[in-house]
């Protein structure tokens, strides 16, 4: 593999992960203006409509077939869980803290893969798990004291992302990348709508859905667009270089989240966030290095 494709892959991945954090910061600016459930629903419904237009233009009617429907439904459920829980976490706690906790997703995936995918759990996975969850405890401790159970929403979001990743592996090759994005959004949208309506009917003021301000609608549309662009950039990066080369760039998302949290919301990083994030990043890099020898050489 030449150096030039690797450099371009890393730049694409860096841009993709940074854009995701910009979208997360926009979500946080809507705290108190509209419930997280409704924001997640509008974001994914708009995303599904936009992706449907792109798929129809590029692939015609064949792009709308639904291969492996139960797997696609599971992917949508994973996305719905991850989005609602992460948006709830971002609106309630510092952006960097929520992002750091969500980075336990690769560790959760490694733990659940033997059950879902039949993969063997290596000793390195257990070491990474201990490191990551030690980091989670360090990051969450002050937030649990201040917020209660709400502080665990990013951890639930990490579980949802793990479900999505594992089902992505099982559904790999079933459709084009853009069609797979559309299918996930299409399946997630009705789940999110049902969750938004169900929680609103509980009477809890936190989930009451009033008519949204125009600024909220615009922000949701921007998030839908930027998230789609970000995922396409990350996918393009994995075409130019292996997933193992690109994977560590995900931690750019944490750095951008910390910077935006400080600039936009005045949330300076404290020692517990720094220490916990360092443990979570170390766990992810440990797991990445342990899996790297299993990469198949290019051309085989």
């Amino acid at each position: 593999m030449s150096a030039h494709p690797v450099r371009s892959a890393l730049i694409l991945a860096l841009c993709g992960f940074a854009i995701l954090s910009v979208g997360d910061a926009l979500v946080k600016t809507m705290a108190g203006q509209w419930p997280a459930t409704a924001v997640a629903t509008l974001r994914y419904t708009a995303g599904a409509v936009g992706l449907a237009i792109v798929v129809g233009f590029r692939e015609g009617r064949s792009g709308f077939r639904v291969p492996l429907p139960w797997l696609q439904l599971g992917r949508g459920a994973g996305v719905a869980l991850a989005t609602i829980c992460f948006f709830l976490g971002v609106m309630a706690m510092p952006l960097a803290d929520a992002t750091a906790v969500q980075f336990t997703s690769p560790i959760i995936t490694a733990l659940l893969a033997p059950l879902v995918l039949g993969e063997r759990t290596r000793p390195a996975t257990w070491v990474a798990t201990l490191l990551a969850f030690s980091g989670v405890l360090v990051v969450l401790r002050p937030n649990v004291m201040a917020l209660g159970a709400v502080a665990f929403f990013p951890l639930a979001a990490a579980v949802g992302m793990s479900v999505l990743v594992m089902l992505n592996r099982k559904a790999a090759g079933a459709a084009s990348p853009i069609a797979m994005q559309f299918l996930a959004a299409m399946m997630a949208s009705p789940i999110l709508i049902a969750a938004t309506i169900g929680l609103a009917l509980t009477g809890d003021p936190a989930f009451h859905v009033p008519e949204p301000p125009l600024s909220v609608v615009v922000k949701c549309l921007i998030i839908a667009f930027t998230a789609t662009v970000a995922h396409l950039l990350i996918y393009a990066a994995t075409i130019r270089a292996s997933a193992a080369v690109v994977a560590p760039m995900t931690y750019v998302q944490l750095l951008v989240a910390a910077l935006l949290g400080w600039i936009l919301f005045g949330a300076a990083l404290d020692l517990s966030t720094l220490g916990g994030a360092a443990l979570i990043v170390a766990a992810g890099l440990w797991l990445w290095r342990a899996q790297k020898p299993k990469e198949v050489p290019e051309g085989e």
Side-chain angles (χ1 to χ4, degrees):
M1 184 184 295
S2 65
H4 180 67
V6 172
R7 283 199 300 269
S8 65
L10 293 178
I11 292 171
L12 288 170
L14 184 150
C15 293
F17 288 119
I19 290 171
L20 287 176
S21 281
V22 172
D24 295 339
L26 275 177
V27 171
K28 189 167 181 63
T29 65
M30 290 184 276
Q33 298 180 18
W34 221 36
T37 49
V39 170
T41 298
L42 182 53
R43 174 260 181 270
Y44 262 97
T45 303
V49 172
L51 286 165
I53 295 171
V54 175
V55 169
F57 181 76
R58 293 187 57 183
E59 303 183 23
R61 292 179 62 182
S62 64
F64 295 100
R65 67 185 183 88
V66 184
L68 307 171
W70 287 108
L71 273 183
Q72 304 301 345
L73 181 60
R75 292 175 68 235
V79 164
L81 174 65
T83 306
I84 284 182
C85 290
F86 188 67
F87 283 12
L88 283 167
V90 163
M91 288 187 178
M93 59 195 292
L95 181 59
D97 291 19
T99 303
V101 173
Q102 196 187 30
F103 277 128
T104 57
S105 180
I107 314 300
I108 296 171
T109 301
L111 284 176
L112 295 180
L115 297 175
V116 178
L117 303 173
E119 298 177 356
R120 184 172 63 89
T121 302
R122 299 199 212 174
T125 299
W126 297 112
V127 174
T129 299
L130 289 174
L131 273 176
F133 282 102
S134 296
V136 170
L137 292 175
V138 173
V139 172
L140 286 185
R141 190 176 65 85
N143 291 300
V144 171
M145 294 170 62
L147 300 171
V150 173
F152 288 102
F153 277 123
L155 193 58
V159 173
M161 285 304 299
S162 296
V163 170
L164 175 63
V165 168
M166 288 183 290
L167 295 184
N168 280 349
R169 291 185 195 174
K170 291 180 75 71
S176 67
I178 192 73
M180 290 293 280
Q181 283 199 54
F182 163 68
L183 288 170
M186 181 188 73
M187 293 292 185
S189 295
I191 296 172
L192 289 166
I193 291 170
T196 299
I197 294 173
L199 289 170
L201 291 175
T202 64
D204 188 329
F207 299 113
H208 173 63
V209 186
E211 182 178 346
L214 179 60
S215 61
V216 166
V217 175
V218 171
K219 286 177 182 179
C220 287
L221 294 177
I222 292 172
I223 293 166
F225 175 75
T226 56
T228 299
V229 170
H231 287 296
L232 288 174
L233 288 173
I234 295 165
Y235 175 76
T238 60
I239 292 176
R240 288 165 172 76
S242 69
V245 171
V246 171
M249 295 303 291
T250 187
Y251 294 111
V252 169
Q253 192 175 348
L254 177 56
L255 296 176
V256 175
L259 181 63
L260 291 175
W262 176 49
I263 293 173
L264 299 177
F265 310 108
L269 293 179
D270 56 22
L271 288 178
S272 65
T273 300
L274 285 171
L279 287 172
I280 293 169
V281 170
L285 293 176
W286 177 282
L287 191 60
W288 168 68
R289 283 185 60 85
Q291 293 175 338
K292 195 175 179 182
K294 294 191 73 176
E295 285 292 309
V296 178
E298 195 172 3
E300 291 190 11

